[in-house]
Amino acid sequence: MTNIVLFGKPGAGKGTQAEFLKTRYNLTHISTGDVFRYNLKNETALGKEAKEYMDRGDLVPDELTIKMLQDEVEKHPDTNGFLFDGFPRTIAQAEALDRFLESKGWKVNATIALEADDEVLVQRLLERGKTSGRKDDQDENLIRNRYVEYNEKTAPLMDYYQNQYKFYAVNGIGSIAEITERLSLVIDKIN
Ligand code: AMP
């Protein structure tokens, strides 16, 4: 069982890299952003609750997010491990994840950050917004608000995982294949 948290700011390439890594390491990819968007599109109760936060580029409250993540994990009892993408994003989420995995005899094995400069990422997201249809990628104010949320609530997780000796960082600038190799070097080391 190998559980990896892919960490990084919006636009850092977590989702893109997860697509390659999940095949290479036979892991279950859970993107909380994707699950929220699916619920929004299908107008589920969860989607309706999450909508106002997502529309503003704010984080969805912890209680809702943690419950949703746990439900997703429970759907894959026989997995080799998870690739968490976009979760945890607050200390409360990280603590809940540790407790939840521990209750199953599992743990977070590594947190790997994809590092890139804010201005590069803002441009990347605006580009992505032209084709993704994502409203939160089309409005620069919403994008910048997501960075404010990141700096306030998510950045402290670096210390949280560093204190557990589980934090790794790779350069998130380069070709997709180069970055996959950088991430794989870390995963091969911890395995
Ligand atoms: P993402 O696709 O990861 O950029 O997420 C899109 C949006 O979904 C975020 O701006 C938040 O509103 C919401 N979201 C995704 N993951 C989380 C999370 N772990 N905690 C709170 N909100 C989240």
Side-chain angles (χ1 to χ4, degrees):
M1 188 76 185
T2 305
N3 296 306
I4 292 170
V5 172
L6 273 185
F7 190 82
K9 293 175 181 166
K14 303 185 294 293
T16 303
Q17 291 300 328
E19 285 303 313
F20 292 98
L21 295 175
K22 74 174 184 192
T23 312
R24 185 172 287 189
Y25 294 98
N26 192 20
L27 298 173
T28 303
H29 173 207
I30 299 181
S31 155
T32 43
D34 284 350
V35 178
F36 278 134
R37 277 184 291 279
Y38 174 86
N39 279 276
L40 216 70
K41 197 168 132 224
N42 291 284
E43 298 181 356
T44 66
L46 174 65
K48 283 177 191 155
E49 283 191 88
K51 185 176 187 316
E52 59 169 305
Y53 301 97
M54 295 178 74
D55 282 351
R56 287 197 299 260
D58 288 345
L59 292 184
V60 176
D62 283 333
E63 206 191 345
L64 264 186
T65 307
I66 291 165
K67 168 81 173 59
M68 178 270 261
L69 188 277
Q70 292 179 346
D71 289 346
E72 287 301 310
V73 168
E74 298 289 6
K75 289 179 189 167
H76 305 277
D78 300 322
T79 183
N80 240 357
F82 292 95
L83 203 49
F84 296 109
D85 158 10
F87 185 95
R89 263 168 145 120
T90 64
I91 296 282
Q93 291 179 17
E95 289 172 347
L97 181 63
D98 278 348
R99 279 195 302 271
F100 179 60
L101 293 179
E102 203 179 299
S103 74
K104 297 178 173 297
W106 302 340
K107 62 177 181 179
V108 170
N109 295 81
T111 296
I112 317 177
L114 285 169
E115 294 186 324
D117 184 73
D118 278 17
E119 292 314 308
V120 174
L121 295 180
V122 170
Q123 291 314 316
R124 250 196 218 175
L125 285 184
L126 286 169
E127 248 341 278
R128 181 171 88 181
K130 290 181 188 164
T131 52
S132 69
R134 278 181 61 171
K135 242 176 35 188
D136 60 349
D137 285 347
Q138 289 167 358
D139 176 337
E140 191 164 335
N141 290 329
L142 281 185
I143 293 176
R144 298 222 177 253
N145 186 48
R146 284 152 69 201
Y147 288 102
V148 171
E149 287 283 80
Y150 175 92
N151 289 330
E152 271 178 19
K153 298 174 182 168
T154 310
L157 290 180
M158 289 190 261
D159 277 347
Y160 180 87
Y161 286 114
Q162 232 146 21
N163 290 338
Q164 298 187 15
Y165 306 103
K166 286 180 184 169
F167 187 80
Y168 303 84
V170 306
N171 179 359
I173 302 293
S175 72
I176 291 175
E178 274 165 0
I179 298 167
T180 310
E181 291 317 310
R182 289 175 200 153
L183 291 166
S184 298
L185 278 179
V186 176
I187 299 173
D188 291 341
K189 205 164 59 185
I190 58 138
N191 264 333

